[in-house]
Amino acid sequence: MNRHQWWRDAVIYQVYVRSFLDSTGDGVGDLAGVRAGLPYLRKLGVDGIWLSPFYPSPQHDHGYDVADYRGVDPLFGDLDEFDALVTAARRLGVRVLLDIVPNHCSSEHPWFREALASPPGSPARARFHFAEGRGPDGAEPPNNWHAMFGGPAWTRVTEADGRPGQWYLHMFTPEQPDWNWREPQVAAEFDRILRFWLDRGVDGFRIDVAAGLFKHPGLPDSPDPEADARTRDSVNPLAWNQPEVHDVWRHWRAVCEEYADRDGRERLLVGEVSVPSAREHARYVRPDELHQAFFFDLLGAPWDPDAFRKVISEAMQDIAGTGSTVTWVLNNHDQVRTVTRYGEPATGGSGLGAARARAAALLMLALPGAAYIYQGEELGLPEVVDLPDDVLTDPIFHRTGSRARIRDGCRVPLPWSGQASPFGFTAGDGGAKPWLPQPEYFAEYATDRALADTRSFWHLYRDGLQLRSELPQLGEGTLRWLDTPPGVLAFVRGDGLVCAVNFGTAPTPAPVAGAPLLSSDGPCPPGVLPGATAAWWIADL
């Protein structure tokens, strides 16, 4: 069957549900709020949305600690509201992806509760990583691994008789025990979970910690036990990126193909894959595994033309060479926003960081493959860097006592309208404050102002997405680098579409004559590329 592989050049909008739009007035965004915001997203021009976890959860890690993979937490709505959201999205031509969390669950999950109530060596404990401790009376953890969110990766349990007992593994927080994917019951359960949501009409899944799942079977000591905690990344080679994980993605791909064969509608698997190189990344997107995996190297690259060219070239060589397309991303719910990351901490609509963020966006949308936009990115929102300690909710802060690399600042609820908090975010009658406080300067970024200002970030994204859908040179394909002056990066897409970025602050001669088709700095004089600006031209090369 010849099926349309819509995902190959799609632009997906990441919805962080609790911060998108609150329909009930309790201060937390919900699924009804997402449904109300669909016309806004359709107007922006995205092809689909990825929803952060909304499953029943004690919310120790904002839903990434899942207690029930087949439900909706009352905080966000119910299954009827979810079904209404999918129906409304399909009517508007917007695809819906769910965030699935297969590496770990909540300590409140029924299977983990059963494991705690069962003796060592029981089938219930085999679904997780329980092990005897080391040292006198087993008082030391089974190995020296550290959790990514701080502290040891093991917690000791109290057995039914009241004595200290075994330890269980958690690579994030103690409230997130890791599944043991060497136990067949775990794989069978996730097969049922996938089918539950596919039967409800979803278009695919974003897979959390997709390089995880399997641990080295012997659980040996790590040669660098603090690496995960130090980098807050999946770098322990004994805990991540084990070869068996690829069999899981082959099976999940087969499940998606089964559904696509029924109705001709492709379902997408996109993985959160943190691995050492683009070549290793490419193994996850081989033709029978994941359709896509986020390429984080562009997000992590410094604002430098040589660095950008290197990561783009490696991705095009290693990832696109598998037959997949590269999945580009500049922002997400775990990273400092580009407006702040690329420059001085910005509290207004201008500044070096904002100019660079606009240029980077235009570059990303010109690259071959797919792109993901994080909510608020299209508004030019900066990171909120001055949240007081007493409102911080990130478990990294509460486990380490440090504000370094905490994630609350990019998760502050969106501003929609008005001059004061809640800026239209809380639409219901409850009158509660947003779950994280919005700074006063968010008024400058509200969506109603952005839509009215043709020079806003929103219009840049909307215009870029519209041209991306209209110009055959953009989307899937290849690129060819152009020779440029120092500090400038330029490439050609297809039949004469040129994208150029001036990484400096001073104007430089444009690589193509004539007025640009679209510029991140608004109208540009012919032949000139202003500093910290990207532009697109149609040229006869």
Side-chain angles (χ1 to χ4, degrees), residues 487-522:
V488 176
L489 194 66
F491 55 85
V492 182
R493 294 296 320 282
D495 184 19
L497 189 285
V498 174
C499 174
V501 184
N502 180 357
F503 281 76
T505 56
T508 191
V512 177
L517 184 69
L518 180 63
S519 168
S520 66
D521 193 39

Side-chain angles (χ1 to χ4, degrees), residues 61 149 232 333-334 394-396 405-411:
D61 189 21
F149 289 177
R232 222 200 72 216
H333 65 294
D334 288 331
D394 194 326
I396 296 173
R405 303 184 69 182
I406 59 173
R407 302 163 295 169
D408 289 303
C410 67
R411 301 176 177 186

Side-chain angles (χ1 to χ4, degrees), residues 103-279:
N103 180 73
H104 50 267
C105 65
S106 167
S107 54
E108 298 298 315
H109 191 283
W111 278 13
F112 190 71
R113 286 179 157 182
E114 181 185 358
L116 292 179
S118 301
S122 63
R125 289 203 173 181
R127 299 166 179 155
F128 302 91
H129 294 278
F130 279 84
E132 300 296 334
R134 298 191 293 192
D137 301 320
E140 299 296 325
N143 66 28
N144 65 355
W145 296 1
H146 279 242
M148 288 176 63
F149 289 177
W154 295 91
T155 290
R156 196 174 195 185
V157 304
T158 300
E159 303 293 357
D161 60 6
R163 291 184 296 178
Q166 290 187 308
W167 299 71
Y168 69 88
L169 180 70
H170 50 83
M171 294 304 299
F172 292 88
T173 72
E175 295 82 15
Q176 294 169 288
D178 280 41
W179 291 107
N180 177 14
W181 273 81
R182 300 185 189 279
E183 167 52 53
Q185 290 184 63
V186 174
E189 172 66 359
F190 273 92
D191 192 87
R192 292 187 288 267
I193 292 165
L194 289 184
R195 294 177 184 278
F196 175 85
W197 293 108
L198 289 168
D199 289 341
R200 300 192 90 91
V202 304
D203 295 284
F205 302 91
R206 177 265 185 185
I207 304 166
D208 189 58
V209 195
L213 281 61
F214 286 87
K215 279 59 179 173
H216 189 286
L219 298 175
D221 278 344
S222 168
D224 185 0
E226 297 183 358
D228 280 336
R230 182 176 63 250
T231 63
R232 222 200 72 216
D233 206 351
S234 311
V235 295
N236 178 350
L238 303 170
W240 313 106
N241 199 26
Q242 297 293 297
E244 298 93 333
V245 75
H246 296 281
D247 291 332
V248 176
W249 307 139
R250 292 186 184 99
H251 176 70
W252 285 27
R253 177 69 173 259
V255 171
C256 288
E257 295 294 329
E258 173 191 328
Y259 277 79
D261 285 342
R262 294 180 191 175
D263 57 18
R265 185 163 59 89
E266 284 271 334
R267 274 66 165 189
L268 169 65
L269 297 173
V270 55
E272 180 194 31
V273 174
S274 295
V275 289
S277 67
R279 183 167 298 178

Side-chain angles (χ1 to χ4, degrees), residues 18-163:
R18 63 169 42 240
S19 296
F20 186 71
L21 185 60
D22 168 22
S23 72
T24 64
D26 64 357
V28 178
D30 46 51
L31 294 180
V34 177
R35 180 157 60 97
L38 285 174
Y40 164 81
L41 297 176
R42 178 67 273 179
K43 187 173 183 178
L44 181 62
V46 299
D47 299 298
I49 57 175
W50 147 32
L51 302 175
S52 62
F54 51 76
Y55 316 108
S57 164
Q59 302 294 319
H60 290 292
D61 189 21
H62 294 158
Y64 285 92
D65 49 323
V66 181
D68 177 5
Y69 287 87
R70 297 184 186 83
V72 175
D73 195 296
L75 185 67
F76 304 118
D78 55 28
L79 282 171
D80 288 341
E81 181 54 53
F82 174 80
D83 292 339
L85 169 58
V86 172
T87 299
R90 181 149 300 141
R91 189 180 302 122
L92 291 172
V94 176
R95 291 176 170 86
V96 178
L97 307 182
L98 302 194
D99 206 324
I100 193 165
V101 189
N103 180 73
H104 50 267
C105 65
S106 167
S107 54
E108 298 298 315
H109 191 283
W111 278 13
F112 190 71
R113 286 179 157 182
E114 181 185 358
L116 292 179
S118 301
S122 63
R125 289 203 173 181
R127 299 166 179 155
F128 302 91
H129 294 278
F130 279 84
E132 300 296 334
R134 298 191 293 192
D137 301 320
E140 299 296 325
N143 66 28
N144 65 355
W145 296 1
H146 279 242
M148 288 176 63
F149 289 177
W154 295 91
T155 290
R156 196 174 195 185
V157 304
T158 300
E159 303 293 357
D161 60 6
R163 291 184 296 178

Side-chain angles (χ1 to χ4, degrees), residues 214-459:
F214 286 87
K215 279 59 179 173
H216 189 286
L219 298 175
D221 278 344
S222 168
D224 185 0
E226 297 183 358
D228 280 336
R230 182 176 63 250
T231 63
R232 222 200 72 216
D233 206 351
S234 311
V235 295
N236 178 350
L238 303 170
W240 313 106
N241 199 26
Q242 297 293 297
E244 298 93 333
V245 75
H246 296 281
D247 291 332
V248 176
W249 307 139
R250 292 186 184 99
H251 176 70
W252 285 27
R253 177 69 173 259
V255 171
C256 288
E257 295 294 329
E258 173 191 328
Y259 277 79
D261 285 342
R262 294 180 191 175
D263 57 18
R265 185 163 59 89
E266 284 271 334
R267 274 66 165 189
L268 169 65
L269 297 173
V270 55
E272 180 194 31
V273 174
S274 295
V275 289
S277 67
R279 183 167 298 178
E280 190 69 25
H281 181 114
R283 297 183 62 217
Y284 285 81
V285 292
R286 290 175 289 195
D288 62 344
E289 295 194 37
L290 302 177
H291 300 82
Q292 297 176 330
F294 296 117
F295 185 63
F296 293 122
D297 290 29
L298 185 65
L299 182 155
W303 183 254
D304 175 81
D306 293 336
F308 269 59
R309 179 165 178 161
K310 180 177 184 292
V311 299
I312 292 169
S313 296
E314 289 176 350
M316 294 303 300
Q317 173 181 315
D318 294 326
I319 298 170
T322 67
S324 180
T325 54
V326 185
T327 305
W328 308 101
V329 58
L330 289 170
N331 294 273
N332 65 32
H333 65 294
D334 288 331
Q335 302 294 331
V336 173
R337 291 184 178 274
T338 49
V339 169
T340 301
R341 198 168 75 237
Y342 287 151
E344 75 284 0
T347 56
S350 60
L352 184 60
R356 289 174 172 177
R358 292 170 65 95
L362 211 53
L363 177 143
M364 179 181 72
L365 293 177
L367 291 171
Y372 280 67
I373 297 169
Y374 176 51
Q375 68 178 40
E377 177 180 339
E378 81 285 5
L379 301 175
L381 282 182
E383 188 86 355
V384 181
V385 297
D386 56 355
L387 292 168
D389 287 357
D390 61 355
V391 305
L392 295 178
T393 63
D394 194 326
I396 296 173
F397 173 73
H398 292 289
R399 283 182 62 76
T400 66
S402 170
R403 297 175 65 99
R405 303 184 69 182
I406 59 173
R407 302 163 295 169
D408 289 303
C410 67
R411 301 176 177 186
V412 174
L414 293 184
W416 290 87
S417 61
Q419 298 298 314
S421 182
F423 299 112
F425 165 73
T426 297
D429 298 326
K433 294 180 180 179
W435 70 278
L436 279 174
Q438 301 159 304
E440 293 181 3
Y441 63 78
F442 262 32
E444 301 175 35
Y445 299 92
T447 59
D448 59 350
R449 293 185 63 169
L451 268 65
D453 179 4
T454 58
R455 291 180 59 89
S456 69
F457 266 82
W458 191 91
H459 279 274

